[in-house]
Amino acid sequence: MEPSVPQQPEAILALGKKIVDELNLSDSVDTLGRWMAHYTAELIQQAELAATSEERTAAQQVCFETILKLWDHRETALHGAQPGASLKSAIAVLKAANGQEEENLYWRYDTRNTDYPWADFIQSLRQTVDRAVLYCVAGSVNEEILMKEKKWAEQYGEFITDEELEVVENIDALLHGGLLLPDRVVLVMGKTKVLTIEERQSMILAKIDELFNDQLDNLKQLQTNLARGDASAADRSPM
């Protein structure tokens, strides 16, 4: 749902300045993007520095219309200068995970059948995959990225859709829900160390490696169970 855009000149000018800053900071901005940043900055300057009230009114009208038009087409016109741009990698991971439907046949096992040796393995595999996906999200988003996106919501929330706000809130909940690795760790004597991006990435990769090593142990346990006489259970597939 699109937000109701306020008509306060200050709010629209602030949004325009934010767009200009983001366009100038974006590594992915092309020549057209830099031209838009320069052009918008010029319009803002004209609107703020006009000599007479008539000139100011005319300049503001052109400036506001341009800013709001850019904002309406932010998905295609603003490249990486819109809410959620820094979270694209995390969003892609979550979308991939959400494509794994609950009703897929390979997850539909009767885990109450404790005599079925594949049941525990299937459940542990599902948990490993789910956990690994969350770590991948954590790896693609750090505190700096998240804080940048939260500023969009806090400072320009009146211009942002419910869907854009929901993306930031969901990923914020993931990173601060106690499930994923933080950006700082507590050392001996209670001192806190802020992790570098490289240190945090290394910790996340180690956690993913640990997950799959544990799952390999589960596979070996399944092989052992089948080898010692539970193989006949394979003929009693609960599907």
Side-chain angles (χ1 to χ4, degrees):
M1 182 179 68
E2 287 293 331
S4 56
V5 178
Q7 298 303 312
Q8 293 86 351
E10 297 82 4
I12 300 175
L13 280 176
L15 177 64
K17 291 176 182 178
K18 173 69 171 175
I19 290 172
V20 171
D21 289 343
E22 290 294 323
L23 283 172
N24 284 327
L25 288 173
S26 176
D27 293 333
S28 63
V29 168
D30 54 16
T31 303
L32 178 59
R34 298 214 177 274
W35 177 84
M36 285 193 299
H38 180 72
Y39 177 63
T40 306
E42 273 192 352
L43 293 179
I44 292 172
Q45 187 177 44
Q46 290 170 11
E48 291 181 328
L49 301 179
T52 66
S53 58
E54 290 82 5
E55 290 175 349
R56 185 177 304 109
T57 298
Q60 284 182 343
Q61 182 175 354
V62 174
C63 180
F64 296 164
E65 287 177 355
T66 301
I67 291 170
L68 293 178
K69 190 174 295 184
L70 280 174
W71 189 248
D72 285 342
H73 296 86
R74 56 189 176 276
E75 287 295 325
T76 55
L78 295 183
H79 306 275
Q82 77 270 12
S86 300
L87 299 176
K88 282 186 177 179
S89 57
I91 294 168
V93 172
L94 291 176
K95 283 184 176 179
N98 290 337
Q100 187 182 77
E101 298 294 341
E102 283 292 326
E103 293 304 312
N104 281 350
L105 289 178
Y106 57 89
W107 292 127
R108 215 187 309 163
Y109 287 84
D110 184 0
T111 57
R112 294 170 297 177
N113 182 359
T114 56
D115 293 331
Y116 184 60
W118 290 90
D120 287 342
F121 180 75
I122 287 293
Q123 286 304 303
S124 67
L125 180 60
R126 177 66 183 272
Q127 292 168 7
T128 295
V129 171
D130 288 348
R131 188 80 177 186
V133 166
L134 292 181
Y135 279 130
C136 289
V137 172
S140 63
V141 179
N142 57 46
E143 190 75 16
E144 183 179 347
I145 289 174
L146 185 59
M147 291 306 298
K148 174 184 174 182
E149 293 298 337
K150 289 174 76 170
K151 283 182 180 179
W152 277 110
E154 293 167 359
Q155 298 178 12
Y156 308 96
E158 63 266 43
F159 295 96
I160 297 176
T161 65
D162 292 342
E163 290 78 11
E164 288 169 334
L165 288 170
E166 187 177 0
V167 167
V168 176
E169 290 170 357
N170 286 345
I171 293 181
D172 187 18
L174 273 178
L175 296 185
H176 295 96
L179 294 175
L180 303 179
L181 291 171
D183 283 306
R184 49 188 59 85
V185 294
V186 178
L187 303 175
V188 180
M189 304 298 292
K191 292 184 178 180
T192 300
K193 169 182 169 58
V194 178
L195 299 173
T196 65
I197 293 177
E198 292 75 17
E199 288 172 330
R200 190 166 180 273
Q201 295 281 351
S202 179
M203 288 178 65
I204 290 171
L205 289 173
K207 286 292 186 181
I208 295 174
D209 186 60
E210 181 183 346
L211 279 175
F212 285 106
N213 279 329
D214 288 345
Q215 190 58 42
L216 183 58
D217 289 339
N218 292 331
L219 175 61
K220 292 176 180 177
Q221 184 61 53
L222 173 64
Q223 292 170 328
T224 299
N225 291 340
L226 293 174
R228 74 183 176 200
D230 293 338
S232 59
D235 297 328
R236 303 196 301 274
S237 172
M239 291 197 303

